[in-house]
Each structure stands twice: as structure tokens, then as C-alpha cells.
Amino acid sequence: MDAQRSQIFLDFEKIQHLGPSHSVKHRGPEAFHQVLVQGDLRGLKVMVGEYREDVNLVFEVCSKEMEWQAKPLALGLSGLWSLEYKQELTSPLCIAASHGYTDCLQYLLQRGARPNMVVGNKSALHAACENAHADCAELLLEYGANPKLLTEEGLSSLHLCDTAQSFRCAKLLLKYRADVNQLSEEYQESPLHVVARHGLHNHTHLYLRYGASVNTLNIHQESPLASACASAWRPEDQEDYLQVCKVLITHGANVNSIDHEKRSPLHKASKNASLQLVQLLLRHKADVNAIDYNGCSPLANVIQTAPFKEELNPHCTVQTLLNYGSRKVWPAAFPKVLKTCAGSPKTIEVLFNSYQQIHVTEEWMEAVPEELFQLHRPFYGSLFALASSPRSLQHLCRFAARKLFDNQCHTLIPRLPIPKCLRGYLLLEPEGLVY
């Protein structure tokens, strides 16, 4: 920014009361700012053409906002909302681009506004892409905006294309030679990391078509595939992340890459109880028994998160991992599992049925809170009844068959010429009771 350029201080609470017609009748930064915010092209032409306002002016806009502040315990308060002044630097070009005012933007560029001026922490192109205004982005690029320019936070315009609506912006940036493998400064993330994390499969296709490196690692040694698997935690977003991961794997993503904590994509997908992602990764030879720095396997991860993921049926993920050969929980640790997953009886049932015989003790009964026992009384009644009884012959036959098939249960059992219900039994489908 030019050192000679003056900064204009504006009180937002004051200027927001100026209407379009009122603004044009007054000279000065407040009126100039107002016509820009409202996209008033006629007023803008008056301010620049007649009143000679500088199209490269820097505004420092002040506004009052409530901010949460922690207070000392001696005051008897854990926190307090206080009214603070917030200040933000911006320019006419950034204002027009962020609001999508293409006609105002074009007029400013024609009058000499500099497309690569960074004000505050970003340029007008950053503002346009951040708000998915493709027409503004195209206009700026035509006037020489640099698609590789970074914000003060170290992000390129391509990094800011993180919504489905920004797809056209991303296409334009790449058309104008944006670097699809440009890394952000702080976290060393590629644009592919960003769109994978947001579940944007169209962007993912686009970036890979333009040569994005599918196995680039960020500062945490996390790949785009791992970023996608870690972010797939909302039920309504599962299909989007599945499509992203399919595209990444098709283009050669390493399903067994590990981050700085030795967590694989399968660890992350399992922690989210993302069944379809877990199945996809396992079909592509993900290591079902990988161990992270905390000594946790993918199975341990889904067990830990099961009580919070009931809407995603975590027992199905547990079932899938066991059918692909996951090592079982150490029997002596089962009371801890029971305590963690008491609210997910189907998860407990699937795990319990993966053993030939495991001794049910009084400690197990104490691990289940009374309210959960009453809520799931038929299941827990059948489970605790086995404290003095062996497992049924039918279960022992199931265990023998599964031991024979080992880590190929998922492949071989569905091929057996037996009734569908019996195949489900061998694959540990829960029934609501154990015997």
C-alpha cells in the first residue's frame, strides 16, 4: 500500500443511516463508502467523476460489536459480554467485489483502481472468491488481478473457494493460471486439502484434472483424503464426502497415509462412524489393524465415539471392521467398553458376539447405568443372564465358521449358498438379544 495514501476513519453506525439519495448530496468518505456498500452506480459516478474521490482510497471502518471476554474469578464471573470497537481496512474495489456489484467494480477498474492492491488482509479478487461472485472474479482477472496473490493469512484465491457456489470462481482462477498446488503459508495446505475438507467433489474433480497432487501433505502430515475422512461427521454430508474420497482414491490417493499422530484415513473415518467411507477404504486395502500413537486401532476409535454417533448406527462400522479382520478388544477391557458404549447396545452385541466365549461378571452389571439398563432391558437382561451359562451351540458354530474365514468374512460369507438370514447371523447382524 502506498505510504502517502490517507486512511479515512468511518463510524459504521453513523454512515449506515445515510440513504442512497442522501449520500450523493454529500461529499466525503462517509458518502463515498455508502454508495459503494449500496452498489449505487449513479452515486459512485458522481463521487468519482464530479467530487474526485480516490478510487484507491483506504477506508478504516469502525463498528461497535459485543465481544466475550474472560474475567478474573475474583469478580465472581466466568466471562462478560462487553461492547468493543472493531476496525477493518477496506477499499472501494474490495467493497464492490465482496458484494458482487459487477457494474461498480468495472467502473472503478476503468477509473484506475488497482486490482492487486491488498487492503487490510486481502485483495478484491480474494473478496470476490470468498463470496463466490464469479462475474466479479472474471472482471478482476481480465484487468490483471494476480490469482497467485496471498492474503495476509497466507491464502490464495483458490484456497478461498470453499463452497459449492464458488465452483465457477475456481474454474476462472485455473483458466488464468492459478497454481493448483500452491500451499497456504501457515498450515501448508493445498487447495485440494480445502475442498476435500469441505466435501466439494466437483472442485475435487476440477483440481485433479488441472494437475493437483493427490498425496500432498499439510503441516500435520495429513493428506487430502485424510482431511475428507476427518471432516465427514454430519449425517447429511456423508454422500458428499464419499464422492470426494472416491475421486481421490481413483486418482491414486494413498489409503494408508498417516499423519503426525500416525492416524490413517481409516482411523478418522471410523471415529466419525462413517460406514460408507470405512467400507470404501477397506475395499481399497486400508490397514484394518493400523495403530496410532495412542495405541488405538480404527475399531477402538469407533467404540470411543459410538455413544455420540447413534444416528449413524456405529454398530454397522464395528461390524464391518470385524468382518474385515479387525483384532478384537482385549477381553479384560470389555467392562470399560461396556461403560463407554452402554447407550449403544447394538455395538455391545456385535462386539460380544465376535468372541467364542467371554466371561460375564458382576463388574459388567455395575458398568451399565440403571436408566440405560431399563431403557434396553431385553438386551441387557439376556447379556447378564449369560453370567452363569455358556454360549449356545449355534453361536459356537458361528464363531468356528468366522475363525475359518478369518479376515475374508466380508467376501466369503455372502457367497455361501445359505439363507440370507443365516448369512446375516454369520456376519454379526444384531438381533437385540444374545444367547
Side-chain angles (χ1 to χ4, degrees), residues 56 119 270 319 360 403 426:
N56 289 308
V119 181
S270 298
Q319 186 182 349
V360 179
K403 185 177 181 181
L426 290 173

Side-chain angles (χ1 to χ4, degrees), residues 51-297:
Y51 293 162
R52 306 298 180 189
E53 292 288 358
D54 184 0
V55 293
N56 289 308
L57 194 67
V58 176
F59 297 112
E60 182 166 351
V61 182
C62 301
S63 62
K64 293 179 180 178
E65 293 182 10
M66 295 297 289
E67 183 180 69
W68 181 257
Q69 292 185 339
K71 296 296 180 182
L73 292 177
L75 298 178
L77 299 171
S78 59
L80 183 69
W81 284 102
S82 63
L83 195 60
E84 299 290 329
Y85 276 99
K86 300 293 181 183
Q87 296 180 332
E88 177 186 358
L89 294 180
T90 188
S91 69
L93 213 58
C94 280
I95 293 171
S98 64
H99 285 83
Y101 299 144
T102 312
D103 52 355
C104 292
L105 187 72
Q106 184 168 20
Y107 178 75
L108 290 167
L109 290 165
Q110 290 170 344
R111 300 291 295 198
R114 299 208 300 267
N116 290 312
M117 187 170 75
V118 176
V119 181
N121 66 353
K122 59 191 173 187
S123 70
L125 183 59
H126 294 134
C129 293
E130 189 174 39
N131 293 282
H133 295 309
D135 289 340
C136 289
E138 185 171 24
L139 191 57
L140 287 160
L141 289 163
E142 288 173 354
Y143 273 81
N146 181 3
K148 299 178 184 178
L149 192 66
L150 299 180
T151 66
E152 285 194 356
E153 284 82 17
L155 301 174
S156 71
S157 295
L158 212 51
H159 286 102
L160 298 174
C161 294
D162 58 5
T163 64
Q165 294 74 27
S166 69
F167 181 70
R168 188 167 159 237
C169 287
K171 286 183 70 174
L172 287 165
L173 290 167
L174 292 170
K175 176 183 174 182
Y176 280 84
R177 301 184 182 279
D179 184 354
V180 75
N181 289 309
Q182 188 171 12
L183 302 181
S184 64
E185 288 185 346
E186 185 174 1
Y187 295 109
Q188 295 294 289
E189 282 196 327
S190 68
L192 192 60
H193 278 100
V194 174
V195 296
R197 188 170 66 249
H198 286 87
L200 302 175
H201 53 88
N202 287 330
H203 288 67
T204 302
H205 266 293
L206 176 69
Y207 293 178
L208 290 167
R209 195 163 70 243
Y210 272 84
S213 176
V214 74
N215 287 311
T216 296
L217 303 179
N218 63 18
I219 197 171
H220 300 300
Q221 298 299 295
E222 188 176 57
S223 68
L225 178 62
S227 293
C229 291
S231 302
W233 55 271
R234 297 197 308 180
E236 61 269 27
D237 295 335
Q238 295 299 304
E239 183 60 30
D240 289 331
Y241 284 102
L242 178 64
Q243 294 305 317
V244 167
C245 292
K246 282 182 176 178
V247 173
L248 292 170
I249 291 173
T250 299
H251 283 79
N254 180 4
V255 298
N256 287 309
S257 64
I258 54 174
D259 64 16
H260 66 300
E261 293 184 348
K262 295 188 71 174
R263 294 175 300 181
S264 69
L266 186 59
H267 278 100
K268 299 170 193 283
S270 298
K271 193 171 186 66
N272 285 326
S274 298
L275 176 62
Q276 290 181 301
L277 286 186
V278 167
Q279 292 173 331
L280 175 69
L281 293 166
L282 289 171
R283 285 198 301 270
H284 287 85
K285 310 302 181 185
D287 184 356
V288 72
N289 288 307
I291 300 298
D292 65 18
Y293 270 137
N294 294 317
C296 290
S297 66

Side-chain angles (χ1 to χ4, degrees), residues 341-417:
C341 297
S344 181
K346 289 183 179 180
T347 299
I348 298 297
E349 181 182 350
V350 171
L351 286 167
F352 184 71
N353 284 334
S354 67
Y355 298 87
Q356 179 179 20
Q357 182 81 34
I358 182 169
H359 185 50
V360 179
T361 68
E362 195 170 299
E363 184 183 3
W364 287 33
M365 303 177 194
E366 295 171 354
V368 180
E370 179 63 23
E371 63 273 17
L372 291 178
F373 176 84
Q374 295 299 334
L375 185 62
H376 306 290
R377 189 179 185 90
F379 169 72
Y380 283 118
S382 69
L383 177 64
F384 297 148
L386 292 173
S388 56
S389 303
R391 296 304 303 267
S392 67
L393 179 60
Q394 182 175 320
H395 167 72
L396 296 178
C397 291
R398 168 171 60 185
F399 179 83
R402 289 180 59 83
K403 185 177 181 181
L404 178 65
F405 296 138
D406 194 26
N407 63 356
Q408 294 299 310
C409 285
H410 66 285
T411 298
L412 300 178
I413 290 175
R415 298 178 184 175
L416 295 176

Side-chain angles (χ1 to χ4, degrees), residues 22-43:
H22 186 87
S23 300
V24 178
K25 295 176 183 177
H26 293 76
R27 297 182 58 176
E30 292 180 354
F32 189 25
H33 182 272
Q34 188 68 0
V35 298
L36 288 163
V37 169
Q38 293 179 337
D40 181 0
L41 180 60
R42 185 184 68 84

